[in-house]
């Protein structure tokens, strides 16, 4: 955790307070570049090469010479398409209806969560769980402070609450049927995106597939469906035996769907 160059006392005290709250070590901002191009993962022993930086305009993550700030990403286009009456493969896989509650168990940059929050409308709610505290904070702040030009996006962002937790532990603490849909989008082993933003994110994000225990818990917590996004060319999804797989023909991603509760007859 650090600040922008030449911080004023207010910036420095915000960074110290955040470092305390998130349990991150605080470093006075050094002159020069924060990190070189070697990489290295946040939280590992040795010199920290990923920083959560309190800048004058908000938070940024800097890692391996890259800088990541909050951005809604593809959610802007996807919400526009939905509003124009088009479809969205994730929303269709979830079968979302107005007023529903969604648990996004792998929040990341909350792009999918925003689309889900738009789809469930003003009476719906999305809870997002992110394991990496720095990412969760960046996204919590981004959702609250981004300069939304589209009121629908601003309202969707306000319907998302961000929780810092391992989704296995979070799900274990949820009552049965607490959410209509539980959604997973774990890190792909090989990134589908070559963007520099993603490079910084991949350095700090938690990697690894969704475990079977988390999936079993998700089926208890979901009232209607559990949905897991994966690469179309991955063998992993098939091994988890979803009831249905949607997408894949022209897309590089697919959605594994487990239908539970009142939807089970549709499976
Ligand atoms: C591929 S990204 C999700 C992207 C997201 N769907 C979006 O639209 O921005 C996966 C995210 O899940 C987080 N994650 C991975 N394992 C987790 C776990 N066990 N509990 C909570 N979050 C986890 C990672 O840190 C990463 O930020």
């Amino acid at each position: 955790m650090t600040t922008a160059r030449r911080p004023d006392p207010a910036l420095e005290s915000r960074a110290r307070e955040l470092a305390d709250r998130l349990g991150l070590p605080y470093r006075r901002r050094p002159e020069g570049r924060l990190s070189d191009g070697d990489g290295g993962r946040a939280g590992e022993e040795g010199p920290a090469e990923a920083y959560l930086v309190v800048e004058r305009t908000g938070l940024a993550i800097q890692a391996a010479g890259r800088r990541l700030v909050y951005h809604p990403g593809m959610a802007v286009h996807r919400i526009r398409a939905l509003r124009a009456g088009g479809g969205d493969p994730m929303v269709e896989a979830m079968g979302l209806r107005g007023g529903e509650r969604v648990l996004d168990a792998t929040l990341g940059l909350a792009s999918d969560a925003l689309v889900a929050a738009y789809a469930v409308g003003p009476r719906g709610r999305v809870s997002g769980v992110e394991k990496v505290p720095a990412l969760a904070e960046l996204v919590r702040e981004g959702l609250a402070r981004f300069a939304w030009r589209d009121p629908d996006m601003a309202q969707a962002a306000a319907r998302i609450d961000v929780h810092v937790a391992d989704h296995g532990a979070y799900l274990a603490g949820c009552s049965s049927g607490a959410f209509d849909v539980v959604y997973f989008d774990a890190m792909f082993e090989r990134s589908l995106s070559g963007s520099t933003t993603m490079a910084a994110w991949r350095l700090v994000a938690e990697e690894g597939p969704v475990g079977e225990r988390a999936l079993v818990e998700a089926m208890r917590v979901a009232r209607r469906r559990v949905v897991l996004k994966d690469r179309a060319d991955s063998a992993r999804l098939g091994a988890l035996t979803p009831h249905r797989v949607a997408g894949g023909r022209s897309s590089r991603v697919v959605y594994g769907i487990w239908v539970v509760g009142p939807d089970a007859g549709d499976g």
Side-chain angles (χ1 to χ4, degrees), residues 106-112 130-131 135 165-167 185 201 206:
T106 48
L107 185 65
L109 290 181
S111 198
D112 287 335
E130 171 56 56
K131 189 164 178 173
L135 267 180
D166 177 274
H167 56 223
D185 170 18
W201 176 33
E206 178 78 12

Side-chain angles (χ1 to χ4, degrees), residues 129-216:
V129 181
E130 171 56 56
K131 189 164 178 173
V132 178
L135 267 180
E137 193 59 30
L138 182 96
V139 169
R140 181 186 287 125
E141 187 196 80
L143 289 169
R145 288 179 46 176
F146 190 74
W148 302 105
R149 275 188 261 158
D150 177 343
D152 284 345
M153 301 254 351
Q155 284 157 22
R159 290 197 278 278
I160 302 172
D161 21 81
V162 177
H163 305 270
V164 183
D166 177 274
H167 56 223
Y170 189 88
L171 282 161
C174 290
S175 53
S176 302
F179 292 91
D180 294 290
V181 175
V182 178
Y183 175 67
F184 295 98
D185 170 18
M187 296 297 281
F188 294 132
E189 286 142 2
R190 286 168 291 126
S191 176
L192 289 178
S193 161
S195 80
T196 56
T197 310
M198 299 297 276
W201 176 33
R202 289 186 67 79
L203 273 175
V204 294
E206 178 78 12
E207 283 177 20
V210 174
E212 267 184 63
R213 276 184 73 164
L215 207 56
V216 168

